[in-house]
Amino acid sequence: MSDDEQSAGMDDGRQTEYAVEFVSGLVEAFGLTGSVASATVDDHYDEVRVTGADLGMLIGPKAGSLDAIQELTRVVAQRRSGGRGESRLRVDIGGYRAKRKEALSRFVNQVADEVVSSGTARALEPMPSSDRKIIHDALTGRTDIETHSEGEDPYRRVVITPVGSN
């Protein structure tokens, strides 16, 4: 392994440390009380988790603040680690992402049931790619509907279609 490869691997391993440090500073700068920790999720990415009370301002309307914090955290961690490697970081505040996944899954299964009973396709509102993935994954086991995404970001949306309709 070359020195560059060793250095890149070492820097990538430190990205999560830098991310935790950055998010901890952010929580403190907002005058909030929260605990910041990290965990590896499904061997796919590292998640920086903030737990505590009254963290809603860090989530923001439609998770806009949370998404911005995640992007800033990725940039800071990547730059502090020398800009090498792909950042596989995700930030969650107050368990928002798990709650969002559960709520979206329930909602789209209800919509899928309506699509099947009406026989009419339905386009959902535009949403970020992370939410579209949750929807596709939530409906992947169903044989009575199909899903696809259409449009261009930021207006890209999921369309749920009954099987056999064109």
Side-chain angles (χ1 to χ4, degrees), residues 101-123:
K101 180 178 181 177
E102 183 181 320
L104 269 177
S105 295
R106 275 194 321 266
F107 168 72
V108 298
N109 272 291
Q110 290 173 345
V111 171
D113 291 342
E114 292 169 12
V115 164
V116 169
S117 67
S118 71
T120 305
R122 180 161 167 203

Side-chain angles (χ1 to χ4, degrees), residues 7-101:
S7 173
M10 184 172 63
D11 288 342
D12 290 346
R14 303 254 355 236
Q15 282 188 8
T16 303
E17 275 181 53
Y18 295 136
V20 167
E21 183 181 310
F22 175 75
V23 172
S24 295
L26 193 61
V27 169
E28 185 179 319
F30 272 91
L32 301 172
T33 303
S35 175
V36 181
S38 67
T40 300
V41 180
D42 299 330
D43 293 329
H44 294 289
Y45 54 87
D46 290 327
E47 184 173 80
V48 176
R49 297 176 178 161
V50 182
T51 55
D54 301 323
L55 298 172
M57 76 167 29
L58 295 177
I59 298 169
K62 294 190 176 186
S65 299
L66 174 57
D67 290 341
I69 289 169
Q70 178 170 290
E71 288 308 308
L72 287 171
T73 302
R74 284 180 178 171
V75 169
V76 167
Q78 199 165 26
R79 286 194 178 164
R80 288 197 58 203
S81 65
R84 296 188 183 116
E86 180 182 337
S87 178
R88 301 292 298 166
L89 289 171
R90 187 169 90 169
V91 175
D92 189 20
I93 298 172
Y96 174 84
R97 295 200 187 278
K99 292 172 194 169
R100 175 76 174 157
K101 180 178 181 177

